[in-house]
Amino acid sequence: MNLQQLRQLQPYLWSLPRASGEKRAEVLLYGTAPLLESMDDKVLEQIANVAALPGLVGAAMTMPDAHWGYGFPIGGVAAFDAEQGGVISAGGVGFDISCGIRCLRSNLDLHDAAAHFTRLADTLFHAIPAGVGEEGDLKLNPAQLDQVLQDGAQWAVQHGYGNAADLEYVEEHGRVTGAVPDYVSELAKKRQRGEMGTLGSGNHYLEVQVVERIYDSATALAFGLHQGQIVISIHCGSRGLGHQVGTDYLLMLAKAAGRLGIHLPNRELACAPIKSPEGRQYLGAMNAAINCALANRQILTHLTRSACTQVYPHAELETMFDVSHNTCKVETHEIDGKPRLLHVHRKGATRAFGPGHAMLPERYRAAGQPVVIGGSMGTGSYILAGSSGNPAFSSASHGAGRAMSRHQALARWHGRELINELAQQGILIRTRSMRGAAEEAPGAYKDVDLVAEATEQAGLARRVAFLRPKVCIKG
Amino acid sequence: MPTSSSLYFEHDADIGIIGRGMTVEQAFEAAAQAVFAIVTNLDLVQPSSTLTLEFEEADPELALVTWLNLLLGKSREQGMIFSRFHVQHHDNKWRAEALGEKWHAGLERGVEVKGATLTMLSVKQTGAMWEARCIVDV
């Protein structure tokens, strides 16, 4: 991205000035000059298109890890007011609806656990269905699946997958309201038949990590984290059902836009007024897919616990937090001193409520919401906490962001060699896909340290802990 | 000289696919091959089962996205992987066959494709060749 077209407002905040006659809201980009320079110009084009959509409140924004997506850029945040003709966009949520990270803290320390990492890797790899073509053991009939779509992780807990304490630390207590299973197509439901409790592939993972560095001792204490502790992060989403909901509605909304009087700068922005029948239908289906994702991560949490206790009989895994990063959520935000109900799209961006927010569990209310910036399998991830006065509708970065395309990565790395190199560094990878491993090479990602630092300096979230991978199950 | 070919183009996070052929139908077939070659090594897939697909779409670009997404949806629904494709179309009616087999341990695992998007989407004829392209989400 050429920075000459931007205006630097603060050390970590930039804006894109409007061209003469250009009708759109403000565009704000969070990050450092090097991070922004590493982004494709398409990021700017896409977020400027978002800023031209009806009913946008404030500015269309990108997080420090932004990269070129479809419709919205990944790392894009945009809030719309239904009462002002605001829209909901399928491209603003993405295909993997409610993709997110469940982070589990353990009572294990590296010192005690390390001797059994090989066995742990093999046991987890056997227990967690991962990768293309892999199915889970749980097969739901249509009525049961509709219950999952209504009740999310609460369904899973009620059926023996995990415990009630987990739900306290999942967004919306594991169940979003407004889900309408009837708005989810039959094909979407059939796609999910073998995919409940599966990890998927691509950038999805289950990672055993060690807390290597603490940045903020008081918040780490509130989050139950300490140096040397083992934590497990599960990154996945709504699987085939969510992918099909995204597919179905991307086309439906793209076709409907003209009839609904919406000018789309590019039809990949497919959207509809929130109050239109099409908008309400997508909302109902999207919320059902969110519940599917929450249930999926809950089931995987249960499978992970079972696998861990086979290796460490005294292991206890508590849900630290579960946060989604491909969603549209209805939230109240203060705009010009007045509370307004907004539909906040976060496409590859994490919700990051600051200290005192009423929706946070009591344990974290003084500290702020746990935020996870997932890094590559060779570098590490960050736990952060939502900052007071977050200026981006309480949003923050969600990952390192890719530095090179999948094809570039495939040309540069070979899966087996990469896995061997990582093993030399003490990181055990288990995967069925050598292609997938090569595409996810640590060198294909941006420097997660820079993203986390920029996220903190921009006032989006503050660093709490750094996690180093030890075992990684890839799809 | 081959009458169709499957290629790729760059995208930051996902993958751009290209199908080329002497007809729009061949371009769609090649585009499907490009998609499924991301998922597995197609040379190892036995075309032992056939699935028939039909849909209606007047806009050729939206027809490409519909075609690829129907294939992806059906492959996941039925636990199958496809390697060969035959497409016919008349006006806005599209009829196709996808040949492949159920997933098994002998197949290479590539990367799951979540869906075909409207991004960088185009279906056009340049000279004697048709080209169909879009970004697929992986």
Side-chain angles (χ1 to χ4, degrees), chain A residues 52-131:
Chain A
L53 291 175
L56 183 89
V57 175
M61 305 174 212
T62 61
M63 300 291 103
D65 58 334
H67 49 284
W68 176 28
Y70 47 94
F72 279 44
I74 296 158
V77 175
F80 296 87
D81 187 339
E83 303 304 322
Q84 304 291 323
V87 295
I88 180 153
S89 168
V93 173
F95 279 174
D96 198 0
I97 297 168
S98 199
C99 181
I101 296 181
R102 166 78 65 111
C103 190
L104 308 170
R105 62 175 168 246
S106 81
N107 60 344
L108 304 170
D109 276 350
L110 178 65
H111 181 71
D112 304 317
H116 305 291
F117 276 162
T118 300
R119 191 174 157 221
L120 178 63
D122 293 337
T123 307
L124 284 168
F125 190 53
H126 179 72
I128 304 293

Coordinates of all heavy atoms in Angstrom, one line a residue, chain A residues 52-131:
Chain A
A52 N -18.9 3.3 1.6 CA -19.9 3.9 0.8 C -21.3 3.2 1.0 O -22.3 3.6 0.4 CB -19.5 3.8 -0.7
L53 N -21.3 2.2 1.8 CA -22.6 1.5 2.0 C -23.6 2.3 2.9 O -23.1 3.1 3.7 CB -22.3 0.1 2.7 CG -21.6 -0.9 1.8 CD1 -21.3 -2.1 2.6 CD2 -22.4 -1.2 0.6
P54 N -24.9 2.2 2.7 CA -25.9 3.0 3.4 C -25.9 2.7 4.9 O -25.7 1.5 5.3 CB -27.2 2.5 2.8 CG -26.9 1.7 1.6 CD -25.5 1.2 1.7
G55 N -26.1 3.7 5.7 CA -26.4 3.6 7.1 C -25.1 3.3 7.9 O -25.2 2.9 9.1
L56 N -23.9 3.5 7.3 CA -22.7 3.3 8.1 C -22.6 4.3 9.2 O -22.9 5.5 8.9 CB -21.5 3.3 7.2 CG -20.1 3.1 7.9 CD1 -19.8 1.6 7.9 CD2 -19.0 3.8 7.2
V57 N -22.2 3.9 10.3 CA -22.0 4.9 11.5 C -20.5 5.1 11.7 O -19.8 4.1 11.8 CB -22.7 4.3 12.7 CG1 -22.5 5.2 13.9 CG2 -24.2 4.2 12.5
G58 N -20.1 6.3 11.8 CA -18.7 6.6 12.1 C -17.9 6.3 10.8 O -18.2 6.7 9.7
A59 N -16.9 5.6 11.0 CA -15.9 5.3 9.9 C -15.9 3.8 9.7 O -16.2 2.9 10.5 CB -14.5 5.7 10.3
A60 N -15.5 3.4 8.4 CA -15.2 2.0 8.1 C -13.7 1.9 8.4 O -12.9 2.8 8.1 CB -15.4 1.7 6.6
M61 N -13.3 0.8 9.1 CA -12.0 0.7 9.7 C -11.3 -0.6 9.3 O -12.0 -1.6 9.1 CB -12.1 0.8 11.2 CG -12.8 2.0 11.7 SD -13.0 1.9 13.5 CE -14.5 2.7 13.7
T62 N -10.0 -0.6 9.3 CA -9.2 -1.8 9.3 C -8.3 -1.9 10.5 O -7.8 -0.9 11.0 CB -8.3 -1.9 8.0 OG1 -7.4 -0.8 8.0 CG2 -9.2 -1.9 6.7
M63 N -8.1 -3.2 10.9 CA -7.2 -3.5 12.0 C -5.8 -3.6 11.6 O -5.5 -3.8 10.4 CB -7.7 -4.7 12.7 CG -9.1 -4.7 13.3 SD -9.3 -3.6 14.7 CE -10.1 -2.1 14.0
P64 N -4.8 -3.7 12.5 CA -3.4 -3.7 12.0 C -3.0 -5.0 11.3 O -2.0 -5.0 10.6 CB -2.6 -3.7 13.4 CG -3.5 -2.9 14.3 CD -4.9 -3.4 13.9
D65 N -3.8 -6.0 11.3 CA -3.5 -7.3 10.6 C -4.3 -7.4 9.3 O -4.4 -8.5 8.7 CB -3.8 -8.5 11.5 CG -5.3 -8.6 12.0 OD1 -5.9 -7.5 12.1 OD2 -5.8 -9.7 12.3
A66 N -4.9 -6.3 8.8 CA -5.8 -6.4 7.6 C -5.1 -6.9 6.4 O -3.9 -6.7 6.2 CB -6.3 -5.0 7.3
H67 N -5.8 -7.7 5.6 CA -5.4 -8.0 4.3 C -6.6 -8.2 3.4 O -7.7 -8.2 3.8 CB -4.5 -9.3 4.3 CG -4.9 -10.4 5.1 ND1 -4.9 -10.5 6.4 CD2 -5.5 -11.6 4.7 CE1 -5.4 -11.7 6.9 NE2 -5.8 -12.3 5.8
W68 N -6.3 -8.3 2.1 CA -7.3 -8.3 1.0 C -8.2 -9.5 1.2 O -7.7 -10.6 1.4 CB -6.5 -8.4 -0.3 CG -7.3 -8.5 -1.5 CD1 -8.5 -8.1 -1.7 CD2 -6.8 -9.1 -2.7 NE1 -8.9 -8.4 -3.0 CE2 -7.9 -9.0 -3.7 CE3 -5.6 -9.7 -3.1 CZ2 -7.8 -9.5 -5.0 CZ3 -5.6 -10.2 -4.4 CH2 -6.6 -10.1 -5.3
G69 N -9.5 -9.3 1.3 CA -10.5 -10.4 1.4 C -11.4 -10.5 0.2 O -11.0 -10.3 -0.9
Y70 N -12.7 -10.8 0.5 CA -13.7 -10.7 -0.6 C -14.8 -9.8 0.0 O -15.3 -10.1 1.1 CB -14.1 -12.0 -1.0 CG -14.5 -13.0 0.0 CD1 -15.8 -13.2 0.5 CD2 -13.5 -13.8 0.6 CE1 -16.1 -14.1 1.5 CE2 -13.8 -14.7 1.6 CZ -15.1 -14.8 2.1 OH -15.4 -15.7 3.1
G71 N -15.2 -8.8 -0.7 CA -16.2 -7.8 -0.2 C -15.4 -6.9 0.8 O -14.7 -6.0 0.4
F72 N -15.6 -7.2 2.1 CA -14.8 -6.5 3.1 C -13.4 -7.1 3.1 O -13.2 -8.2 2.8 CB -15.4 -6.8 4.5 CG -16.6 -6.1 4.9 CD1 -17.7 -5.8 4.0 CD2 -16.7 -5.6 6.2 CE1 -18.8 -5.1 4.4 CE2 -17.9 -4.9 6.6 CZ -18.9 -4.7 5.7
P73 N -12.5 -6.2 3.5 CA -11.1 -6.7 3.7 C -11.1 -7.6 5.0 O -12.0 -7.3 5.9 CB -10.3 -5.5 3.9 CG -11.2 -4.4 4.4 CD -12.5 -4.8 3.7
I74 N -10.3 -8.5 5.1 CA -10.1 -9.3 6.4 C -9.4 -8.3 7.3 O -8.5 -7.6 7.0 CB -9.3 -10.5 6.1 CG1 -10.1 -11.5 5.2 CG2 -9.0 -11.2 7.5 CD1 -9.2 -12.5 4.5
G75 N -10.0 -8.2 8.5 CA -9.5 -7.2 9.5 C -10.3 -5.9 9.3 O -9.9 -4.8 9.8
G76 N -11.5 -6.1 8.7 CA -12.4 -4.9 8.5 C -13.5 -4.8 9.6 O -14.0 -5.8 10.0
V77 N -13.8 -3.6 10.0 CA -14.8 -3.4 11.0 C -15.8 -2.3 10.5 O -15.3 -1.2 10.0 CB -14.2 -2.9 12.4 CG1 -15.3 -2.6 13.4 CG2 -13.3 -4.0 12.9
A78 N -17.1 -2.5 10.5 CA -18.0 -1.5 10.1 C -19.3 -1.7 10.9 O -19.8 -2.8 11.0 CB -18.3 -1.6 8.6
A79 N -19.9 -0.6 11.3 CA -21.1 -0.6 12.1 C -22.2 0.1 11.4 O -22.0 1.2 10.8 CB -20.9 0.0 13.5
F80 N -23.4 -0.5 11.4 CA -24.6 0.1 10.7 C -25.8 0.2 11.6 O -26.0 -0.6 12.5 CB -24.9 -0.8 9.5 CG -23.9 -0.9 8.5 CD1 -22.8 -1.9 8.6 CD2 -23.8 -0.1 7.4 CE1 -21.8 -2.0 7.7 CE2 -22.8 -0.2 6.4 CZ -21.8 -1.1 6.6
D81 N -26.5 1.3 11.4 CA -27.7 1.6 12.2 C -29.0 1.2 11.4 O -29.2 1.8 10.3 CB -27.7 3.0 12.6 CG -28.9 3.4 13.5 OD1 -29.8 2.6 13.6 OD2 -28.8 4.4 14.2
A82 N -29.7 0.2 11.9 CA -30.9 -0.3 11.1 C -31.9 0.9 10.9 O -32.6 0.9 9.9 CB -31.5 -1.4 11.9
E83 N -32.0 1.8 11.9 CA -32.9 2.9 11.8 C -32.5 3.9 10.8 O -33.3 4.8 10.4 CB -33.1 3.5 13.2 CG -33.5 2.6 14.3 CD -34.8 1.8 14.0 OE1 -35.7 2.4 13.4 OE2 -34.9 0.6 14.3
Q84 N -31.3 3.9 10.4 CA -30.8 4.8 9.4 C -30.6 4.2 8.0 O -29.8 4.6 7.2 CB -29.5 5.4 9.8 CG -29.5 6.1 11.2 CD -30.3 7.4 11.2 OE1 -30.3 8.1 10.2 NE2 -31.0 7.6 12.3
G85 N -31.3 3.1 7.8 CA -31.2 2.4 6.5 C -30.0 1.5 6.4 O -29.6 1.1 5.3
G86 N -29.4 1.2 7.6 CA -28.2 0.4 7.6 C -28.3 -1.0 7.0 O -29.4 -1.5 7.0
V87 N -27.2 -1.5 6.6 CA -27.3 -2.8 5.9 C -26.6 -3.9 6.7 O -25.8 -3.6 7.6 CB -26.6 -2.7 4.5 CG1 -27.4 -1.8 3.6 CG2 -25.2 -2.3 4.6
I88 N -26.9 -5.1 6.3 CA -26.1 -6.3 6.8 C -25.5 -6.9 5.5 O -26.2 -7.1 4.5 CB -26.9 -7.2 7.6 CG1 -26.0 -8.4 8.1 CG2 -28.1 -7.8 6.9 CD1 -26.5 -9.1 9.4
S89 N -24.2 -7.3 5.6 CA -23.5 -7.8 4.5 C -23.0 -9.2 4.7 O -22.3 -9.4 5.7 CB -22.4 -6.8 4.1 OG -21.5 -7.4 3.2
A90 N -23.3 -10.1 3.8 CA -22.7 -11.5 3.9 C -21.2 -11.4 3.7 O -20.5 -12.2 4.3 CB -23.4 -12.4 2.9
G91 N -20.8 -10.6 2.8 CA -19.3 -10.4 2.6 C -18.6 -9.8 3.8 O -17.4 -9.9 3.9
G92 N -19.4 -9.1 4.6 CA -18.8 -8.5 5.8 C -18.7 -9.4 7.0 O -18.1 -9.0 8.0
V93 N -19.2 -10.6 6.8 CA -19.1 -11.6 7.8 C -18.2 -12.8 7.4 O -17.4 -13.2 8.1 CB -20.5 -12.2 8.2 CG1 -20.4 -13.4 9.1 CG2 -21.4 -11.1 8.8
G94 N -18.3 -13.1 6.1 CA -17.4 -14.1 5.5 C -18.1 -15.5 5.5 O -19.3 -15.7 6.0
F95 N -17.5 -16.4 4.8 CA -18.0 -17.8 4.7 C -17.9 -18.6 6.0 O -18.8 -19.3 6.3 CB -17.3 -18.6 3.6 CG -17.7 -18.3 2.2 CD1 -17.0 -18.8 1.1 CD2 -18.8 -17.4 1.9 CE1 -17.4 -18.5 -0.2 CE2 -19.2 -17.1 0.7 CZ -18.5 -17.7 -0.4
D96 N -16.8 -18.4 6.7 CA -16.7 -19.2 7.9 C -17.3 -18.4 9.1 O -16.6 -17.8 9.9 CB -15.2 -19.5 8.2 CG -15.1 -20.7 9.2 OD1 -16.2 -21.2 9.6 OD2 -14.0 -21.1 9.5
I97 N -18.6 -18.3 9.1 CA -19.3 -17.5 10.1 C -18.9 -18.0 11.5 O -18.9 -19.1 11.8 CB -20.8 -17.7 9.9 CG1 -21.2 -17.2 8.5 CG2 -21.6 -17.0 11.0 CD1 -22.6 -17.5 8.0
S98 N -18.6 -16.9 12.3 CA -18.2 -17.1 13.7 C -17.0 -18.0 13.9 O -16.8 -18.6 14.9 CB -19.4 -17.7 14.5 OG -19.2 -17.5 15.9
C99 N -16.1 -18.0 12.9 CA -14.8 -18.6 13.1 C -14.2 -17.8 14.3 O -14.4 -16.6 14.5 CB -13.9 -18.3 11.9 SG -12.3 -19.0 12.0
G100 N -13.5 -18.6 15.2 CA -13.0 -17.9 16.4 C -12.1 -18.8 17.1 O -11.7 -19.9 16.6
I101 N -11.7 -18.4 18.3 CA -10.7 -19.1 19.1 C -11.3 -19.4 20.5 O -11.8 -18.5 21.2 CB -9.4 -18.4 19.2 CG1 -8.7 -18.2 17.8 CG2 -8.4 -19.1 20.2 CD1 -7.4 -17.5 17.8
R102 N -11.3 -20.7 20.9 CA -11.5 -21.1 22.3 C -10.2 -21.3 22.9 O -9.4 -22.1 22.5 CB -12.4 -22.3 22.3 CG -12.5 -23.1 23.6 CD -13.5 -22.4 24.6 NE -14.8 -22.5 24.0 CZ -15.8 -23.3 24.6 NH1 -15.6 -24.0 25.6 NH2 -17.0 -23.2 24.0
C103 N -9.9 -20.6 24.0 CA -8.7 -20.7 24.7 C -8.9 -21.4 26.1 O -9.8 -20.9 26.9 CB -8.0 -19.3 24.9 SG -6.4 -19.5 25.5
L104 N -8.2 -22.5 26.3 CA -8.4 -23.2 27.6 C -7.1 -23.1 28.4 O -6.0 -23.3 27.9 CB -8.6 -24.7 27.2 CG -9.7 -25.1 26.2 CD1 -9.6 -26.5 25.8 CD2 -11.1 -24.7 26.8
R105 N -7.3 -22.8 29.7 CA -6.1 -22.7 30.5 C -6.1 -24.1 31.3 O -7.1 -24.6 31.7 CB -6.2 -21.5 31.5 CG -7.3 -21.5 32.4 CD -7.3 -20.4 33.4 NE -8.7 -20.4 34.0 CZ -9.5 -19.4 33.9 NH1 -9.3 -18.3 33.2 NH2 -10.7 -19.5 34.4
S106 N -4.9 -24.5 31.6 CA -4.7 -25.8 32.3 C -4.1 -25.7 33.6 O -3.5 -24.6 33.9 CB -3.9 -26.8 31.4 OG -2.5 -26.5 31.6
N107 N -4.1 -26.7 34.4 CA -3.3 -26.8 35.6 C -2.0 -27.4 35.4 O -1.3 -27.9 36.4 CB -4.1 -27.5 36.7 CG -4.4 -29.0 36.3 OD1 -4.3 -29.3 35.1 ND2 -4.8 -29.8 37.2
L108 N -1.5 -27.5 34.1 CA -0.2 -28.2 33.8 C 0.8 -27.1 33.6 O 0.5 -26.0 33.0 CB -0.4 -29.0 32.5 CG -1.4 -30.1 32.5 CD1 -1.6 -30.6 31.1 CD2 -1.1 -31.2 33.5
D109 N 2.0 -27.4 34.0 CA 3.2 -26.5 33.7 C 4.1 -27.2 32.7 O 4.2 -28.5 32.6 CB 4.0 -26.2 34.9 CG 3.3 -25.1 35.7 OD1 2.4 -24.4 35.1 OD2 3.7 -24.8 36.8
L110 N 4.8 -26.4 31.9 CA 5.7 -26.9 30.9 C 6.7 -28.0 31.5 O 6.9 -29.0 30.9 CB 6.5 -25.8 30.3 CG 7.5 -26.2 29.2 CD1 6.8 -26.8 28.0 CD2 8.3 -24.9 28.8
H111 N 7.2 -27.6 32.7 CA 8.2 -28.5 33.3 C 7.7 -29.9 33.5 O 8.4 -30.9 33.3 CB 8.5 -27.9 34.7 CG 9.6 -28.6 35.4 ND1 10.9 -28.6 35.0 CD2 9.5 -29.4 36.5 CE1 11.6 -29.4 35.9 NE2 10.7 -29.9 36.8
D112 N 6.4 -30.1 33.9 CA 5.9 -31.4 34.1 C 5.3 -32.0 32.8 O 5.4 -33.3 32.7 CB 4.7 -31.3 35.1 CG 5.2 -30.7 36.4 OD1 6.3 -31.0 36.9 OD2 4.4 -29.8 36.9
A113 N 4.8 -31.2 31.9 CA 4.1 -31.7 30.8 C 5.0 -32.1 29.6 O 4.7 -33.0 28.8 CB 3.1 -30.7 30.3
A114 N 6.1 -31.4 29.5 CA 6.9 -31.5 28.3 C 7.4 -33.0 27.9 O 7.4 -33.4 26.7 CB 8.2 -30.7 28.4
A115 N 7.6 -33.8 28.9 CA 8.1 -35.1 28.7 C 7.1 -36.0 27.9 O 7.4 -37.0 27.3 CB 8.4 -35.8 30.0
H116 N 5.8 -35.6 27.9 CA 4.8 -36.4 27.3 C 4.2 -35.7 26.1 O 3.1 -36.1 25.6 CB 3.7 -36.7 28.3 CG 4.2 -37.3 29.6 ND1 4.7 -38.6 29.6 CD2 4.3 -36.9 30.8 CE1 5.1 -38.9 30.8 NE2 4.9 -37.9 31.6
F117 N 4.9 -34.7 25.5 CA 4.3 -34.0 24.4 C 4.1 -34.8 23.2 O 3.1 -34.7 22.4 CB 5.1 -32.8 24.0 CG 4.9 -31.5 24.9 CD1 5.8 -30.5 24.9 CD2 3.7 -31.4 25.6 CE1 5.6 -29.4 25.7 CE2 3.5 -30.3 26.4 CZ 4.4 -29.2 26.4
T118 N 5.0 -35.8 22.9 CA 4.8 -36.6 21.7 C 3.5 -37.5 21.9 O 2.7 -37.5 20.9 CB 6.0 -37.5 21.6 OG1 7.2 -36.7 21.4 CG2 5.9 -38.4 20.3
R119 N 3.3 -38.0 23.0 CA 2.1 -38.8 23.2 C 0.9 -37.9 23.2 O -0.2 -38.3 22.6 CB 2.2 -39.5 24.6 CG 1.1 -40.5 24.8 CD 1.3 -41.4 26.0 NE 0.0 -41.9 26.4 CZ -0.5 -42.0 27.6 NH1 0.2 -41.6 28.6 NH2 -1.7 -42.5 27.9
L120 N 1.0 -36.7 23.7 CA -0.1 -35.8 23.7 C -0.5 -35.4 22.2 O -1.6 -35.4 21.9 CB 0.2 -34.5 24.5 CG -0.9 -33.4 24.5 CD1 -2.1 -33.9 25.2 CD2 -0.3 -32.1 25.2
A121 N 0.6 -35.2 21.4 CA 0.3 -34.8 20.0 C -0.4 -36.0 19.3 O -1.4 -35.7 18.6 CB 1.6 -34.5 19.3
D122 N 0.1 -37.2 19.5 CA -0.6 -38.3 18.9 C -2.0 -38.6 19.4 O -2.9 -38.9 18.6 CB 0.3 -39.6 19.1 CG 1.7 -39.5 18.4 OD1 1.8 -38.7 17.4 OD2 2.6 -40.1 18.8
T123 N -2.2 -38.4 20.7 CA -3.5 -38.6 21.2 C -4.5 -37.6 20.7 O -5.6 -37.9 20.4 CB -3.4 -38.6 22.8 OG1 -2.4 -39.5 23.2 CG2 -4.8 -39.0 23.4
L124 N -4.1 -36.3 20.7 CA -5.0 -35.3 20.2 C -5.3 -35.5 18.7 O -6.4 -35.3 18.3 CB -4.3 -33.9 20.4 CG -4.3 -33.3 21.8 CD1 -3.4 -32.1 22.0 CD2 -5.8 -32.9 22.2
F125 N -4.2 -35.9 18.0 CA -4.4 -36.0 16.5 C -5.4 -37.2 16.3 O -6.2 -37.1 15.3 CB -3.1 -36.4 15.9 CG -3.1 -36.4 14.4 CD1 -3.6 -35.3 13.7 CD2 -2.6 -37.4 13.7 CE1 -3.6 -35.3 12.3 CE2 -2.6 -37.4 12.3 CZ -3.1 -36.3 11.6
H126 N -5.4 -38.2 17.1 CA -6.4 -39.3 17.0 C -7.8 -38.8 17.4 O -8.8 -39.3 16.8 CB -5.9 -40.4 17.8 CG -6.8 -41.6 17.8 ND1 -6.9 -42.4 16.7 CD2 -7.7 -42.1 18.7 CE1 -7.8 -43.4 16.9 NE2 -8.3 -43.2 18.1
A127 N -7.9 -38.0 18.4 CA -9.2 -37.6 19.0 C -9.9 -36.5 18.2 O -11.1 -36.4 18.3 CB -9.0 -37.2 20.4
I128 N -9.1 -35.6 17.6 CA -9.7 -34.4 17.0 C -9.8 -34.6 15.4 O -8.8 -34.7 14.7 CB -8.9 -33.2 17.2 CG1 -8.6 -33.0 18.7 CG2 -9.5 -31.9 16.6 CD1 -9.9 -32.6 19.5
P129 N -11.1 -34.8 14.9 CA -11.2 -34.9 13.4 C -10.7 -33.6 12.8 O -11.3 -32.5 13.0 CB -12.7 -35.1 13.2 CG -13.2 -35.5 14.6 CD -12.4 -34.8 15.6
A130 N -9.7 -33.7 12.0 CA -9.1 -32.5 11.4 C -8.7 -32.8 9.9 O -8.2 -33.8 9.6 CB -7.8 -32.1 12.2
G131 N -9.0 -31.8 9.1 CA -8.6 -31.8 7.7 C -9.7 -32.2 6.8 O -10.8 -32.6 7.2

